[in-house]
Amino acid sequence: MEMAIGFHSCSFSVLAPRIPSSSSSSYPLLTKPLFGLSLSSSPITTTSLKFPPRYATHCRRPVKCSVSQAAETAAEKKRQLMRRRDIRNIAIIAHVDHGKTTLVDAMLKQAKASDTDKMNITNAYSRVQVFRDNQFVQERIMDSNDLERERGITILSKNTSITYNDTKINIIDTPGHSDFGGEVERILNMVEGVLLVVDSVEGPMPQTRFVLKKALEFGLAVVVVVNKIDRPSARPDFVINSTFELFIELNATDEQCDFQAIYASGIQGKAGLSPDKLGDDLGPLFESIIRCIPGPHIDKDGALQMLATNIEYDEHKGRIAIGRLHAGFLQKGMEVRVCTSEDSCRYARVSELFVYEKFSRVPAESVEAGDICAVCGISDIQIGETIADKVSGKPLPAIKVEEPTVKMSFSINTSPFVGREGKYVTSRNLRDRLYRELERNLAMKVEDGETADTFIVSGRGTLHITILIENMRREGYEFMVGPPKVINKKVDDKLLEPYEIATVEVPEEHMGAVVELLGKRRGQMFDMQGVGSEGTTLLKYRIPTRGLLGVRNAILTASRGTAILNTLFDSYGRFSGEISTRDLGSLVAFEGGTTTSYALSSSQERGQMFVAPGVEVYKGQIVGIHQRPGDLSLNVCKKKAATNIRSNKEQTVVLDTPLDYSLDDCIEYIQEDELVEVTPLSIRMCKNPKLAKKGR
């Protein structure tokens, strides 16, 4: 009897007792398949078990993938599905700041090489020119949104494409924050494989787990890219083994666990099959994409089917639906049927058709199944609807995303300064804008509040809703928002609340303060380990979402700005009791006017101020943080009394620098009876006048 499970040639042998051939009947279990393997009953003294050691180095081999060689199922053969060999559709997924967008930049820029450069680099593959030779190319070109550039994060998924060895590679760059997980879930419908980018020091992080879980559920092929391999404290062997363990935890199939590992430096534009031997360019990465990720399965002669996965808007063309053609073909000017379900269909006409080539949309007369395209002419198209054949088309399954966990109230601006800076101030303007956001943002929900001018917006996290607030204020809206609240559930008369997995990277000298802080917020530590050679500790907590509201600034203060916090939704659990998120009260102005140095000099003795001299304030505005619990009303507009007595010496007033809170900081700071006033030019905090009246 001999068993062997091969995995990248990594193996070791285990001794087994000698089993006589004559006694096979006395071992009934051994005559059955074990681990899915058929066993013979021939005598043998040892059994060679070959399986992946959990902490052994992941073996390296030439780019040869079992995933792309997967046999077609009988059902697929019956439907006469075929694979397109000339197209690869891939998404780049990773945890935030692991280098997805920088890697896409390098892939696009290497396609910029001229013919002479191409001859010098290699003759093994051909390139296309994405940019002109004299064209200025900025960093993170895929982050085209102003907000993305300012924050250094990806918020919206983007499409581009390159051509390699006559194979078109459609690339979709995705967000890394868990708050924008809806974007990732949406675009995975369009691709057959993913590049899982993992930092060479940090390894798999919470969002890595989330995006990989979704990719494996879709049955996608995975190529693991260990990025930032040029970092001094890189530990590629640990990262590969941790990633493989993550695959096992997420119940990946044998084919998915047999992933190809590529080592790369996105900023240098180099990749290789070994961390010690990187190539001169990203050639090994391109080669892995072609070999390891299969082409799209299509029904070439079937009825037209295309799922609208994304929506863009153009001033001249109107709404543009983006998606992958699953079956049939699409032509410019074609009559189609737009279906939401079997019973709900309407007819439309395709006015224009585009495909993605290089870094732009290019007009096309027709598109075959398997390619990603953009369709114009359907003015009321929504995400999740199917563009189908006019006669025999059927809808595809709708897109499903996870439920939101945090909600905030939006209301019209009721402060005395309303209308000074904003263009859209009425409840009708606010309502139209919020419900328009639902057309593109599937992970968000909007409901009418208790009054006609209040709306409840639910999202994946505070960052998810804060990005919407920031976009609205830049568009000219004025409104007020309340503090974030978690969305609880009741199951069998038991109150459940959302829990998240929080990972904190913190230097050892500040670890005690961070542990104390998260302990006060009902966090339960379940893992602690050292990271790299820099004296950094990685703490993992399971903590209620309520405990994470307003915790970022507190952790930065406790660690003197050195801690890095990442969170990911885990599950709903029992209500953990009351949590105190803020110990200090607020300083509130009880009189409107312009702040003076004379008043602020005495006010700053009561706490830290938010306002400088010469700033207009109104009654009820929060002007500082009280140094004790409870709120304190004070006059920051008081002027020095003018008398006819000449003073011998003018008193010099020394004022502290006021705190400059951003929108995110303000939303973290406010409590139940406070609001944030958002206008295009200003962000103020105030006490909620409705709750103040109830208190009286």
Side-chain angles (χ1 to χ4, degrees), residues 403-404 406-411 427 429-449 452-459 464-465 468 472 487:
E403 293 293 312
V406 175
K407 61 183 179 182
M408 292 173 66
S409 65
F410 284 53
S411 59
S427 61
N429 296 141
L430 187 60
R431 178 189 177 88
D432 291 346
R433 176 63 180 84
L434 291 175
Y435 279 96
R436 196 164 67 244
E437 182 69 19
L438 298 183
E439 296 176 359
R440 193 185 189 286
N441 207 331
L442 291 190
M444 192 169 278
K445 290 186 177 180
V446 177
E447 303 166 343
D448 292 336
D453 56 6
T454 306
F455 307 93
I456 307 299
V457 179
S458 306
H464 189 199
I465 304 176
L468 169 64
M472 288 176 64
I487 301 174

Side-chain angles (χ1 to χ4, degrees), residues 407-415 418-419 424-434 446-457 465 468-469 472-473 476-483 485 618 670 672-679 684 686-691:
K407 61 183 179 182
M408 292 173 66
S409 65
F410 284 53
S411 59
I412 60 170
N413 190 0
T414 55
S415 81
V418 60
Y424 308 105
V425 296
T426 65
S427 61
R428 182 176 58 82
N429 296 141
L430 187 60
R431 178 189 177 88
D432 291 346
R433 176 63 180 84
L434 291 175
V446 177
E447 303 166 343
D448 292 336
E450 297 177 356
T451 60
D453 56 6
T454 306
F455 307 93
I456 307 299
V457 179
I465 304 176
L468 169 64
I469 296 171
M472 288 176 64
R473 71 181 282 253
Y477 286 85
E478 269 192 28
F479 53 97
M480 285 184 163
V481 294
K485 301 175 184 177
Y618 54 83
I670 59 173
E672 187 68 30
D673 62 339
E674 297 167 346
L675 298 170
V676 177
E677 178 192 353
V678 180
T679 68
R684 307 180 188 93
C686 64
K687 305 302 286 187
N688 191 338
K690 295 178 182 177
L691 294 181

